[in-house]
Amino acid sequence: MEPKIIFVDDEINVLNGLKRSLYASQFKWKASFAQSGKEALDLLKSERCDIIISDIKMPGMDGGELLKIVKKNYPHIVRFALSGFNEEELAIQSSNTVHQYFAKPCNWNLLREKIEPVMILRELIVNNETIELINSGDVVPALPEIYYKLEKELNSEDISIHRIVNIISKDMALTAKILQLSNSAYFGAVTQITNLHQAVTMLGINIIKSLVLYINVFNFVNKNERIKNYIEELWNHSIMVASLSKQIMEFFTKDRLKSERAYIAGILHDLGKIIQLSLLLRMGKENMYPMEDKESKELIGANHCELGAYLLSLWGLPKEIVDGVLLHHTAPVIESSNMSVHGAVQLANSLAGLKYEDPYVLDAMNSNELVWELIESLKNGGGKDENTSLTG
């Protein structure tokens, strides 16, 4: 069944422009158009819909109010919003109802680039209730306000570290984690990092954003002592995989952007396990946790890789990172400078557990002598210290 999308904007010229773009791009999905929130709700009463894209600022019922109603009454629908330069306050007010924001005027190709992965990954989840719970925000939180503010600052013409630090400093939990991570051996700081400005400069804004997502989801789950211990183990594992992923990508490609994306995919690679846990807690079956992916597919409708990748696609993360999460248990293709992000994360995930018997690692070692060099480098201190090298 072809996906169905509804566009909502009070300006007829905007809707006509979208219609022309859809026609020119030979877009295969079914599309409807509404000039108001009320008209959109009337369409939803009579038509199936998978994605709704609404302008935020409209007379009468604004986009935030419309999407709030859609979230409540049609939780399976993915909710995107368009906002103008001077509509930040309206956007922030509706941030807990929107999966992604796009600046107006919005390029159709960009919209399509973000829409298509969501629909492809949604097909992997065979349980409609799971889709509804993830989309509604009942088992995972919406993108936090702080992420939206960091994204806005990152896209500004005059990016300011001072403003970024000011945004982060208002969240004590995030501030503590950033300082903890920047002082950990994983980043090999020569001197102790004592303030947020130093930490942000060292880590970089994209890694900071990934920490915002990670902490946002991990803090959403109600935790008893057993769950707290498990999540702490998962945090330590994720940081190690992130660090190894970055080192592996640097070893093979010397590409700074790919290395950063490998780090981000590494830190987020097991996010789906937290979604699993949240779903099991909701069902009263937390005693089944942690669970194998085969059990997860049967009970929840998806494995942890699919759950994590779907959530990140909802939030609009780059395809390389989403694929890194989706494919981190898939055999990597190791071709020297063409090393993929998902290959780096898969290899890092195996090496982090010292799983040399892992068939993927053995295949990689047997097929590519560079992998032998990499592992020897890590064994001999190629990692930042004993926590990230493969000694002991």
Side-chain angles (χ1 to χ4, degrees):
M1 187 181 295
E2 288 181 344
K4 175 66 182 292
I5 187 168
I6 292 178
F7 296 94
V8 190
D9 200 300
D10 62 297
E11 296 181 38
I12 189 64
N13 289 338
V14 172
L15 295 180
N16 287 336
L18 281 167
K19 289 177 185 178
R20 287 192 296 272
S21 295
L22 294 178
Y23 179 77
S25 66
Q26 298 183 320
F27 190 59
K28 300 299 183 184
W29 298 355
K30 295 180 180 179
S32 293
F33 302 85
Q35 278 190 261
S36 68
K38 182 180 182 305
E39 189 178 339
L41 291 176
D42 287 341
L43 283 174
L44 288 172
K45 289 176 183 176
S46 58
E47 298 181 9
R48 179 187 59 83
C49 176
D50 299 293
I51 295 179
I52 187 166
I53 301 177
S54 176
D55 186 16
I56 280 290
K57 190 174 183 180
M58 296 188 295
M61 181 188 298
D62 65 35
E65 187 179 351
L66 166 64
L67 295 177
K68 188 175 181 180
I69 295 170
V70 172
K71 175 182 175 180
K72 179 181 178 181
N73 296 337
Y74 308 95
H76 68 283
I77 295 178
V78 176
R79 304 174 299 276
F80 290 168
L82 305 176
S83 64
F85 180 75
N86 295 318
E87 297 162 11
E88 180 181 356
E89 191 57 39
L90 272 176
I92 289 174
Q93 287 173 9
S94 57
S95 62
N96 68 338
T97 64
V98 176
H99 294 121
Q100 288 185 55
Y101 283 99
F102 298 90
K104 291 182 68 177
C106 187
N107 180 289
W108 163 243
N109 289 327
L110 173 62
L111 270 178
R112 184 173 184 171
E113 182 184 302
K114 297 297 184 180
I115 291 169
E116 288 184 335
V118 174
M119 299 311 299
I120 291 169
L121 288 166
R122 194 169 81 165
E123 291 299 311
L124 300 178
I125 303 175
V126 296
N127 186 316
N128 289 331
E129 185 180 359
T130 295
I131 293 171
E132 289 185 1
L133 288 170
I134 294 173
N135 286 7
S136 68
D138 285 347
V139 295
V140 288
L143 269 177
E145 181 181 315
I146 189 172
Y147 188 90
Y148 173 75
K149 289 181 175 179
L150 289 172
E151 185 77 1
K152 184 175 184 294
E153 180 58 37
L154 188 63
N155 292 325
S156 67
E157 292 182 0
D158 58 333
I159 300 173
S160 165
I161 290 291
H162 176 75
R163 288 196 296 269
I164 289 171
V165 168
N166 189 49
I167 291 167
I168 295 169
S169 65
K170 293 179 170 57
D171 187 317
M172 294 305 295
L174 179 60
T175 297
K177 274 295 184 193
I178 288 171
L179 287 171
Q180 176 194 0
L181 182 58
S182 61
N183 278 296
S184 72
Y186 296 110
F187 278 86
V190 177
T191 58
Q192 186 176 13
I193 303 298
T194 58
N195 64 68
L196 200 51
H197 191 284
Q198 289 176 302
V200 170
T201 303
M202 168 182 271
L203 297 178
I205 187 59
N206 284 316
I207 287 177
I208 297 290
K209 283 166 58 186
S210 69
L211 286 173
V212 170
L213 297 180
Y214 187 98
I215 293 166
N216 189 46
V217 174
F218 275 50
N219 287 345
F220 188 76
V221 180
N222 293 321
K223 309 174 189 74
N224 57 35
E225 201 58 39
R226 174 175 170 264
I227 291 172
K228 280 182 182 177
N229 291 335
Y230 178 79
I231 286 180
E232 185 63 28
E233 289 174 11
L234 205 54
W235 161 259
N236 291 329
H237 171 73
S238 297
I239 294 297
M240 177 177 272
V241 169
S243 180
L244 286 171
S245 298
K246 183 173 182 287
Q247 291 176 70
I248 289 167
M249 190 60 83
E250 286 173 347
F251 180 89
F252 280 99
T253 71
K254 310 296 189 285
D255 186 313
R256 184 175 176 277
L257 177 60
K258 280 195 169 185
S259 297
E260 185 178 76
R261 289 192 168 179
Y263 183 95
I264 294 169
I267 202 171
L268 299 173
H269 78 286
D270 272 343
L271 208 59
K273 291 187 176 181
I274 301 302
I275 303 173
Q276 281 180 333
L277 176 56
S278 188
L279 287 163
L280 289 173
L281 286 168
R282 186 182 178 87
M283 294 185 233
K285 296 182 177 181
E286 62 267 30
N287 60 312
M288 294 183 64
Y289 200 79
M291 69 192 314
E292 296 294 325
D293 274 336
K294 183 179 179 182
E295 294 176 298
S296 181
K297 197 74 176 179
E298 292 172 355
L299 183 64
I300 294 172
N303 62 40
H304 77 282
C305 304
E306 293 161 348
L307 291 169
Y310 177 65
L311 178 62
L312 295 180
S313 73
L314 270 184
W315 287 346
L317 269 73
K319 185 178 185 299
E320 267 192 312
I321 294 172
V322 174
D323 285 349
V325 173
L326 177 66
L327 303 172
H328 74 268
H329 283 302
T330 302
V333 176
I334 299 173
E335 298 177 354
S336 187
S337 61
N338 201 32
M339 181 66 155
S340 66
V341 167
H342 93 258
V345 176
Q346 196 285 324
L347 198 51
N349 190 48
S350 294
L351 294 176
L354 299 179
K355 297 176 183 174
Y356 295 114
E357 75 282 3
D358 188 313
Y360 296 150
V361 176
L362 291 173
D363 286 346
M365 291 168 69
N366 290 331
S367 64
N368 194 313
E369 63 182 27
L370 279 175
V371 179
W372 284 101
E373 292 180 27
L374 166 68
I375 292 174
E376 287 304 312
S377 169
L378 293 171
K379 280 182 177 179
N380 295 326
K384 296 290 190 255
D385 74 340
E386 69 276 6
N387 294 314
T388 53
S389 66
L390 300 178
T391 57

